[in-house]
Amino acid sequence: MGSTSKMKVLDCLAPLFIACLGILGCTQAVTLEVKEGNSTCIKAELSALLFITYTTFNSTSNVSTSLPDSTSVDAASSSCGAAGRPPWLVAVFGSGHALGLSFAKNGSFYSITNLTVQYNLSDTSLFPQSNGSGVVTVVSSSVGIWAPINTTYRCASPTTIRAGGAAITFSAMRLEAYMPGNDLSPTESVCAADQTTTTTAPPTPTTTAAPAPTPPATPATGVFSVTNSSGTVCLLAKMGLQLNVSYVSQSQNKTVQELVNVNPNLTVTSGSCGGTTASLVLTQQTTTLNFTFSMNSTTSKYHLSGINLLANWSDMTAPFSASNTSLDYLRSTLGRSYMCNTEQTLLVVPAFSLNAFRLQVQPFGVTSSQFAAAEECQLDQDQMLIPIIVGAALAGLVLIILIAYLIGRKRSHAGYQTI
Ligand SMILES: *[C@@H]1O[C@H](CO)[C@@H](O)[C@H](O)[C@H]1NC(C)=O
Ligand SMILES: *[C@@H]1O[C@H](CO)[C@@H](O)[C@H](O)[C@H]1NC(C)=O
Ligand SMILES: *[C@@H]1O[C@H](CO)[C@@H](O)[C@H](O)[C@H]1NC(C)=O
Ligand SMILES: *[C@@H]1O[C@H](CO)[C@@H](O)[C@H](O)[C@H]1NC(C)=O
Ligand SMILES: *[C@@H]1O[C@H](CO)[C@@H](O)[C@H](O)[C@H]1NC(C)=O
Ligand SMILES: *[C@@H]1O[C@H](CO)[C@@H](O)[C@H](O)[C@H]1NC(C)=O
Ligand SMILES: *[C@@H]1O[C@H](CO)[C@@H](O)[C@H](O)[C@H]1NC(C)=O
Ligand SMILES: *[C@@H]1O[C@H](CO)[C@@H](O)[C@H](O)[C@H]1NC(C)=O
Ligand SMILES: *[C@@H]1O[C@H](CO)[C@@H](O)[C@H](O)[C@H]1NC(C)=O
Ligand SMILES: *[C@@H]1O[C@H](CO)[C@@H](O)[C@H](O)[C@H]1NC(C)=O
Ligand SMILES: *[C@@H]1O[C@H](CO)[C@@H](O)[C@H](O)[C@H]1NC(C)=O
Ligand SMILES: *[C@@H]1O[C@H](CO)[C@@H](O)[C@H](O)[C@H]1NC(C)=O
């Protein structure tokens, strides 16, 4: 956790930002679905920019084009994988251009085995002065996109795949094949690029040196928010966070347990919002903490379903990575926020737990950048019960003493009279 790594984050952000503005032009997203009967087997939400080099009569030329809104799935060529064919998503756009993604799976993972780009040099609006004509097909079979079965592959960072004279850059990608339901699985598998870089504004520059890794004091409360593409706040969180991590120390040559507070002043916030999943990613130098919230649309209840920690602290023998995607914490209802003032320990894996203080979150249904009415955790309700119980007990005691006193007084009074 050195200040140099902070610079790395900033250095990574700048080209991303420029790429988005300049080259990608923040290309529009398309949603593509392959169906068999009524069930969806492949679904992809992505933005893509194609970069193609072609020969003209007297030289070579480059053209770049993004997948237009009108891109559609070619149902005749696409397949869910019946009759021994692999699942194949074929999207067509413009005048005879196409993009194909072919999938395969093994026991636990699915992957894109090959990517096909087809472009029609006869389309003179896209390829002016091309000396060739007709459709060119190029294939890449080293795509490197894979995820565990029953999870959605997510990658906000741009990923470029080259095939022949074409290069295709995907961004804001979410996709799944071999889908168990008709919607993308709420559990996401985040690509490596997203785990090391973030996609929102850089942090306010601070001159603070490397954070002290051992402040077991109560962590400062930070306010974190995620905005959607239209610039409105869609996820809100207010909390103090403390990481409790066991790792093998380089200097001590043994497993140590360390408490590290998240310093909101040094944290870069990013994330995403969706109808049924939302994520909050907090990056502090070489530490990335990722929360995934899931909503059950039938019951309109949401909960914290996943926590992922990546840490590369200087004393670690190897970068630390811990993830649990089947958590059930912070349960609340759509239209409400979840609040817990009492300290909560969220166990993620045996080597990593997260202590949360003065927490309030709302991952769905945020309106006008404010928390909705809170549903308070049981711990807070119990805490509130203690003074009530103590109060009631005290009141009872006073009553008993009073009655005892009155009875006593009456008795002694009666005693006097008999004498
Ligand atoms: C698809 O859904 C429609 C209406 O929801 C139904 O009538 C039809 O039988 C379904 N087809 C299949 C193949 O399940
Ligand atoms: C290529 O040829 C076209 C006309 O055929 C001409 O307009 C253009 O300037 C030429 N480009 C080069 C680099 O010579
Ligand atoms: C290629 O583009 C030309 C001109 O736009 C068009 O006539 C032709 O049908 C296209 N080829 C295919 C396979 O769509
Ligand atoms: C790519 O995948 C498609 C669909 O599975 C297949 O038809 C094609 O032969 C594959 N190409 C290569 C080069 O593997
Ligand atoms: C399954 O596929 C993934 C991704 O392609 C690969 O990393 C993994 O080793 C494969 N597992 C087996 C058992 O083949
Ligand atoms: C197109 O240009 C390339 C390179 O200049 C040349 O090798 C090729 O023969 C040309 N093709 C046609 C159809 O003119
Ligand atoms: C994926 O989910 C489906 C339905 O929920 C289930 O039947 C299947 O066993 C799951 N597969 C894996 C590898 O978890
Ligand atoms: C940190 O985690 C360990 C178990 O891994 C636990 O014994 C310890 O009490 C935790 N400390 C705090 C302050 O939560
Ligand atoms: C670390 O400890 C192990 C045994 O606990 C020992 O074998 C190893 O030599 C030690 N390594 C260093 C660098 O001290
Ligand atoms: C964060 O910054 C504020 C104002 O600059 C400062 O008052 C506060 O102490 C800082 N908090 C931490 C944990 O460094
Ligand atoms: C939503 O909740 C209902 C009732 O608890 C449950 O039956 C259903 O499986 C849940 N759906 C999802 C997608 O988790
Ligand atoms: C972890 O940090 C070390 C030293 O700062 C660096 O050499 C290494 O590449 C980092 N590893 C990862 C996965 O970022």
Side-chain angles (χ1 to χ4, degrees):
M1 305 245 283
S3 49
T4 47
S5 25
K6 172 93 158 298
M7 287 311 295
K8 271 188 226 154
V9 171
L10 285 171
D11 285 349
C12 290
L13 285 169
L16 259 183
F17 189 60
I18 293 161
C20 182
L21 281 183
I23 313 161
L24 292 177
C26 285
T27 53
Q28 61 265 59
V30 294
T31 299
L32 306 165
E33 259 182 277
V34 180
K35 294 185 178 199
E36 198 165 60
N38 287 345
S39 57
T40 305
C41 61
I42 307 171
K43 186 166 180 175
E45 294 169 4
L46 50 88
S47 297
L49 184 83
L50 267 164
F51 186 85
I52 296 165
T53 306
Y54 66 102
T55 57
T56 55
F57 295 113
N58 47 17
S59 67
T60 60
S61 207
N62 295 319
V63 62
S64 70
T65 180
S66 58
L67 275 196
D69 271 342
S70 57
T71 304
S72 64
V73 170
D74 176 9
S77 317
S78 298
S79 117
C80 276
R85 289 167 62 199
W88 203 16
L89 165 69
V90 181
V92 291
F93 60 98
S95 184
H97 314 296
L99 167 69
L101 302 174
S102 166
F103 293 85
K105 69 171 171 180
N106 58 24
S108 36
F109 295 92
Y110 65 91
S111 61
I112 297 184
T113 48
N114 80 38
L115 174 145
T116 314
V117 177
Q118 220 172 51
Y119 52 95
N120 180 4
L121 290 174
S122 305
D123 179 0
T124 48
S125 60
L126 200 57
F127 302 103
Q129 308 208 315
S130 166
N131 82 338
S133 63
V135 172
V136 176
T137 304
V138 289
V139 182
S140 167
S141 48
S142 56
V143 181
I145 292 178
W146 55 274
I149 285 170
N150 291 351
T151 69
T152 299
Y153 174 85
R154 176 163 75 83
C155 203
S157 312
T159 311
T160 300
I161 295 149
R162 273 166 232 289
I168 184 162
T169 301
F170 293 112
S171 55
M173 185 184 222
R174 288 195 343 127
L175 71 76
E176 185 174 8
Y178 304 97
M179 293 166 68
N182 284 344
D183 268 318
L184 290 174
S185 295
T187 312
E188 289 185 332
S189 168
V190 177
C191 67
D194 280 9
Q195 292 173 357
T196 49
T197 64
T198 51
T199 51
T200 51
T204 45
T206 57
T207 49
T208 323
T214 48
T218 309
T221 304
V223 177
F224 312 100
S225 65
V226 176
T227 49
N228 62 20
S229 51
S230 62
T232 49
V233 173
C234 55
L235 183 153
L236 268 177
K238 189 168 93 181
M239 55 201 173
L241 295 171
Q242 186 175 64
L243 312 172
N244 183 349
V245 182
S246 297
Y247 64 91
V248 181
S249 156
Q250 213 161 41
S251 57
Q252 299 173 52
N253 191 20
K254 61 165 185 169
T255 302
V256 296
Q257 185 213 308
E258 193 166 13
L259 290 173
V260 175
N261 287 348
V262 171
N263 183 344
N265 291 354
L266 303 177
T267 303
V268 183
T269 309
S270 63
S272 65
C273 296
T276 53
T277 50
S279 72
L280 170 67
V281 183
L282 302 179
T283 306
Q284 180 180 333
Q285 289 147 337
T286 52
T287 308
T288 304
L289 184 61
N290 191 332
F291 298 87
T292 305
F293 297 91
S294 299
M295 167 121 88
N296 183 329
S297 35
T298 2
T299 57
S300 290
K301 301 260 184 204
Y302 65 81
H303 66 279
L304 173 62
S305 58
I307 295 180
N308 179 316
L309 173 72
L310 286 169
N312 187 9
W313 300 341
S314 52
D315 194 31
M316 285 177 165
T317 48
F320 180 92
S321 164
S323 174
N324 189 335
T325 55
S326 54
L327 302 176
D328 190 10
Y329 294 127
L330 322 186
R331 281 192 300 267
S332 185
T333 313
L334 179 63
R336 300 286 208 97
S337 61
Y338 172 93
M339 184 152 96
C340 206
N341 283 312
T342 314
E343 178 188 346
Q344 268 181 305
T345 296
L346 312 179
L347 181 66
V348 181
V349 293
F352 166 50
S353 59
L354 185 66
N355 298 326
F357 300 77
R358 300 172 304 277
L359 176 143
Q360 187 171 15
V361 293
Q362 190 177 348
F364 300 100
V366 175
T367 50
S368 54
S369 308
Q370 280 179 340
F371 283 115
E375 254 175 56
E376 200 138 359
C377 64
Q378 194 59 46
L379 285 166
D380 281 6
Q381 290 172 18
D382 293 350
Q383 294 269 307
M384 241 135 59
L385 227 61
I386 293 170
I388 294 172
I389 292 169
V390 171
L394 279 179
L397 201 66
V398 167
L399 206 71
I400 290 166
I401 290 169
L402 198 71
I403 291 169
Y405 167 75
L406 287 176
I407 292 173
R409 217 176 83 138
K410 208 173 167 192
R411 282 239 177 102
S412 55
H413 220 68
Y416 274 120
Q417 279 180 341
T418 50
I419 286 175

